[in-house]
Amino acid sequence: MQIREQLEQLIDAAVAAAREDGALSLDETPQAALERPRDEGNGDWASTVALRSAKLAKKNPREIAQIIVDHLPENDLVQSVEIAGPGFINIRLKPTALQSVVAAVRAEKGDFGKGEIPEGERKINLEYISANPTGPMHVGHGRWAALGDATARVMRHAGYDVYEEFYINDHGTQMDNFGESVAVRYQQLLGRDVEMPEACYAGAYVKDIAQAIIDEDGDKWLDADPTERMENFRERAYAYELAEQHRVTERFGTTFDCWFSERSLYEPDENGESAVDRSLAAMDEKGYIYVEDGATWFKSSAFGDEKDRVLIKANGEMTYFMSDVAYHYNKMERGFDHLINIWGADHHGYIARCEAMLAAWGWPGALEIMLGQLVNLFRDGEAVRMSKRTGEMITFEELIDEVGVDATRYLMLAKSSDQPIDFDIEVAKKKDASNPVYYVQYAHARICSILRKAASEADAAAAESGELSMDELAAKVIPADVDLAPLAHESELALMRKMDDFGPLVAQAARDRAAFRLTHYAQDLAALFHSFYTNCHVIGEEAALRDARLALVDAARIVLATTLGLLGVSAPAKM
C-alpha cells in the first residue's frame, strides 16, 4: 500500500474517532484530501480536510485541524504534524516510512505502482490509428501510435482491461482510386502514354508497387480489361500497404489485439446479415430511422446533434457515417462496455453524431473521444515540409529512421494530446541534456554503471555482456537484508518521495487518459537522481552507507525503467 493511502486511512480514522466522541459534528465523512506542499519545508504531505469540513462542522478550520491531529492514531509513519495557515495539516514523515518505499520497489520490481480496478469495471476497446491502406503512414499516425500504445500500457498498469484496435479504412472509392493509380503507373512504366487522373495517388511508392507487379507478371495486364486490372492491382497494392502498416507499427513497438477491416462490416455472416444490417435494424427498432426523399436518415438530433444524418443516400450508396454506425455497433456486439477512440482534432464535428448513435441503442456515455492535435516538424527551428530524399511528405518511418524509435515516442508523448507537438528533429538526435529522452535514459544508464562498479569484475563483465540482468546483478551486489536506516540525506529523501508518487501518478494518468504526465515524472525523477549523484557518493563509502545507497539507486533504476516502459521507451544499461 502506498504511503499516501496509509496516511489517508490515518486521517479517516482520526475523523471517525472525533465524530464518535462528539468532538466533531459531521453528517458525512470528508475526504482526507492529501497533496504535496509546494514548499518541501512544509513537510511531505498536506491535508485540506479541515478546510473542506468547516461549513459542515460549523467550526473554524484551524480548530477542526487541531481536533483531527489530536485524534490521530498511533502509527509508524508520522514524525511530526503542524497546523498552518487557515487550517492546513502539514505532515512530515519518519525517514523509515520513506525508506520503506525503497524496499517495496525492490521487492515488487516492474509491478511497483500497479493498481486494481474494482470488480465489474468495464471492458475497454481502445481504437487508435484509423488509416487508409493506400500509402505510407504519415507523422500524425506516429503520434496516434505513441499516444494509443502508451495510454493502453498506463491503463493496464493501473488495472484496466484494455483491448487495442487498428481500424483499416479499406472500403470505398479511395481503394478503387488506389488500384487505378497503380494501373496507370504500370502502363507508364511499360511505355504507354497514360495520364494520371486527378483523384489518384501520385506518390513514388505507387510506381514501386507497379514495378513489383511488372517484375512478377510482366506485361500480362497491359491490354487486360480495365476493371479487372484495377481490381487485381487494388487488392495486391492493398495487401502490400497493409503489410507495411503492420511492419512499421511493429517496428515502433506498437502492437494491436485486432486489425479491424471496414470491409468486413458489409460482409454477410452465416445468417446472411452484415454488421450494417444489424446496426440499422437495432436503430430502427428503437424508432430512430426514417426515409425521406429516397435517403435513409438517422434521427441524431433527438440526442443533441445539430441535425439528422444520412446513412444511405437516395442512390443506395452508403455514407462514411454508415460505416461508423456499423463499426461501433459491432464493438458493442463483441462485448465491450466502454469505447475510447483517438481521433485527429479535425474530426471534432463527428463526436456528437457518434455519441448520438450509441445513445439511440441504449448505451449513453459508452463512447469517449480523445482528440489529438497535429505534429509540426522542425529542423533547428525551421519548419520542415518535405522529405529531402523523396521530395514528398515526410513519412512516419522516415522520422523513425532519422531520430530512432525512443526519441520519436518520447517527444510525441511530451505534451497533452490536445496540444500540438512541435517536433524538432535535430533536438531529438542530440546526445545531451537538451534532449529529454536522452537525459532520462542517461540517468538509468548511470545507475547501471554504479551497480557494475560495485560488482566483482566477473559479475560486471557478465552484466556488460547481458549474461546477467541488472536485477540479477543488483541481487549479487546488495545484501538481501540491507539496512536502509542510513538514508537520511535530503537528496535521498527527495528521491524516495518522488518514487512514492509513482503509483498515484499512474492511477491519475490512467483515469485522465494523460500518459504525457509520465514524461514529466521521468524527467523529475532523473533530475533528482542526478542531484543525488552530485551530493552523495556511493562507491567508496563505508559498507553500511554504501549498501543502503546502492539499494536506493537500484530502486530508482526500477522506477525509471518502469516509467519508460509504460511510455514504450527503452531503458538502456549503457550509453
Side-chain angles (χ1 to χ4, degrees):
M1 185 184 295
Q2 302 291 322
I3 290 176
R4 178 176 181 163
E5 294 174 4
Q6 296 177 61
L7 287 176
E8 286 172 346
Q9 290 182 0
L10 283 174
I11 292 171
D12 288 345
V15 172
R19 289 175 68 192
E20 188 174 338
D21 69 10
L24 273 182
S25 178
L26 290 168
D27 293 331
E28 55 189 71
T29 303
Q31 292 183 334
L34 285 170
E35 58 189 44
R36 289 287 192 194
R38 291 183 182 178
D39 182 355
E40 290 183 1
N42 291 329
D44 296 295
W45 288 99
S47 173
T48 58
V49 65
L51 297 165
R52 296 161 67 94
S53 306
K55 190 175 289 186
L56 290 171
K58 298 177 182 178
K59 286 182 183 290
N60 181 284
R62 286 186 66 92
E63 184 182 350
I64 296 171
Q66 188 62 60
I67 291 170
I68 292 171
V69 169
D70 291 343
H71 285 79
L72 278 173
E74 288 189 19
N75 62 87
D76 296 324
L77 292 177
V78 179
Q79 179 166 290
S80 63
V81 183
E82 178 185 65
I83 298 167
F88 293 104
I89 301 174
N90 291 340
I91 301 169
R92 189 172 300 281
L93 298 171
K94 294 178 180 178
T96 52
L98 290 170
Q99 291 156 10
S100 70
V101 176
V102 173
V105 172
R106 297 191 67 239
E108 297 171 28
K109 295 188 168 56
D111 288 336
F112 181 72
K114 274 194 171 180
E116 291 184 7
I117 300 302
E119 190 175 343
E121 177 60 44
R122 297 173 294 185
K123 184 179 180 184
I124 295 170
N125 179 293
L126 175 60
E127 176 213 325
Y128 59 100
I129 311 185
S130 176
N132 298 335
T134 54
M137 297 170 71
H138 55 66
V139 171
H141 289 133
R143 186 173 192 187
W144 311 149
L147 177 61
D149 182 70
T151 299
R153 290 170 187 254
V154 171
M155 290 183 73
R156 285 198 188 100
H157 203 78
Y160 293 83
D161 182 5
V162 183
Y163 183 91
E164 296 170 81
E165 192 149 305
F166 185 116
Y167 185 51
I168 312 166
N169 298 129
D170 56 4
H171 177 79
T173 57
Q174 82 275 6
M175 297 304 299
D176 289 347
N177 291 340
F178 188 32
E180 187 57 35
S181 302
V182 177
V184 170
R185 290 299 188 215
Y186 173 86
Q187 294 173 80
Q188 290 175 343
L189 286 170
L190 289 172
R192 184 169 286 177
D193 186 14
V194 184
E195 285 191 17
M196 179 70 80
E198 189 175 335
C200 288
Y201 297 87
Y205 66 94
V206 178
K207 187 180 289 186
D208 294 338
I209 296 171
Q211 184 60 57
I213 293 175
I214 292 171
D215 293 344
E216 190 171 334
D217 290 358
D219 64 359
K220 169 183 173 181
W221 297 96
L222 199 57
D223 296 312
D225 175 75
T227 300
E228 182 183 353
R229 179 175 60 208
M230 180 277 290
E231 290 175 349
N232 181 279
F233 287 9
R234 179 190 67 200
E235 296 310 302
R236 292 164 78 168
Y238 167 34
Y240 173 83
E241 287 301 333
L242 185 61
E244 284 293 284
Q245 290 177 347
H246 275 270
R247 183 184 62 78
V248 172
T249 53
E250 286 172 12
R251 177 185 174 189
F252 197 57
T254 301
T255 56
F256 295 89
D257 297 295
C258 175
W259 289 69
F260 192 95
S261 165
E262 183 182 356
R263 287 181 177 184
S264 68
L265 299 168
Y266 296 85
E267 296 168 357
D269 60 16
E270 62 275 8
N271 299 316
E273 283 188 324
S274 67
V276 169
D277 298 329
R278 292 192 300 275
S279 63
L280 271 174
M283 201 173 275
D284 191 26
E285 186 180 316
K286 299 285 187 178
Y288 296 109
I289 296 292
Y290 66 94
V291 176
E292 185 176 284
D293 297 328
T296 301
W297 295 73
F298 164 46
K299 201 181 296 183
S300 57
S301 59
F303 300 94
D305 193 11
E306 60 184 1
K307 61 182 180 180
D308 293 346
R309 305 293 174 177
V310 177
L311 297 173
I312 307 173
K313 299 177 184 178
N315 64 4
E317 182 184 340
M318 304 283 186
T319 63
Y320 185 80
F321 183 52
M322 183 69 254
S323 289
D324 278 336
V325 169
Y327 181 39
H328 287 81
Y329 188 76
N330 172 273
K331 288 182 182 180
M332 301 304 285
E333 280 186 311
R334 284 186 276 148
F336 295 105
D337 304 301
H338 190 64
L339 313 180
I340 303 175
N341 295 351
I342 299 179
W343 291 349
D346 56 333
H347 283 70
H348 183 273
Y350 281 84
I351 296 177
R353 70 190 72 173
C354 288
E355 289 176 338
M357 67 189 175
L358 283 151
W361 290 312
W363 297 311
L367 178 63
E368 175 186 341
I369 304 296
M370 292 174 61
L371 288 179
Q373 294 292 336
L374 300 177
V375 178
N376 303 308
L377 283 182
F378 293 86
R379 193 182 294 277
D380 282 333
E382 295 291 325
V384 177
R385 305 292 181 201
M386 297 293 178
S387 163
K388 288 182 180 179
R389 183 171 63 82
T390 65
E392 299 169 359
M393 74 164 191
I394 294 181
T395 66
F396 176 27
E397 185 161 36
E398 282 180 308
L399 184 63
I400 298 172
D401 286 341
E402 186 160 2
V403 306
V405 169
D406 285 343
T408 301
R409 269 185 171 270
Y410 196 97
L411 295 176
M412 288 291 190
L413 292 166
K415 288 186 177 179
S416 170
S417 62
D418 59 8
Q419 294 181 299
I421 292 282
D422 291 339
F423 191 114
D424 195 304
I425 292 169
E426 295 306 318
V427 169
K429 291 158 61 176
K430 287 182 177 179
K431 306 295 184 186
D432 60 35
S434 69
N435 180 352
V437 66
Y438 181 87
Y439 181 75
V440 174
Q441 288 180 318
Y442 183 68
H444 183 271
R446 178 175 265 180
I447 292 172
C448 295
S449 174
I450 292 171
L451 292 172
R452 287 193 296 270
K453 286 178 182 176
S456 68
E457 190 173 324
D459 286 342
E464 187 88 23
S465 67
E467 186 182 337
L468 267 184
S469 71
M470 293 311 302
D471 284 343
E472 291 169 331
L473 182 68
K476 283 176 169 286
V477 166
I478 304 165
D481 59 350
V482 60
D483 181 8
L484 300 173
L487 300 176
H489 190 281
E490 185 49 46
S491 292
E492 297 165 338
L493 297 173
L495 253 184
M496 292 185 282
R497 284 189 204 101
K498 181 57 69 172
M499 287 190 285
D500 188 50
D501 286 342
F502 180 69
L505 174 72
V506 170
Q508 291 165 5
R511 181 197 63 208
D512 299 339
R513 322 299 191 229
F516 76 95
R517 293 176 187 163
L518 271 75
T519 64
H520 301 172
Y521 177 83
Q523 286 161 244
D524 290 345
L525 185 61
L528 288 170
F529 168 73
H530 289 309
S531 176
F532 160 83
Y533 186 81
T534 300
N535 296 325
C536 303
H537 294 116
V538 180
I539 309 300
E541 293 288 353
E542 55 88 17
L545 181 58
R546 179 202 63 208
D547 290 346
R549 285 180 172 170
L550 282 171
L552 174 63
V553 299
D554 185 47
R557 171 189 68 84
I558 292 167
V559 178
L560 270 175
T562 304
T563 305
L564 289 170
L566 294 181
L567 297 170
V569 175
S570 70
K574 53 185 177 179
M575 293 177 71

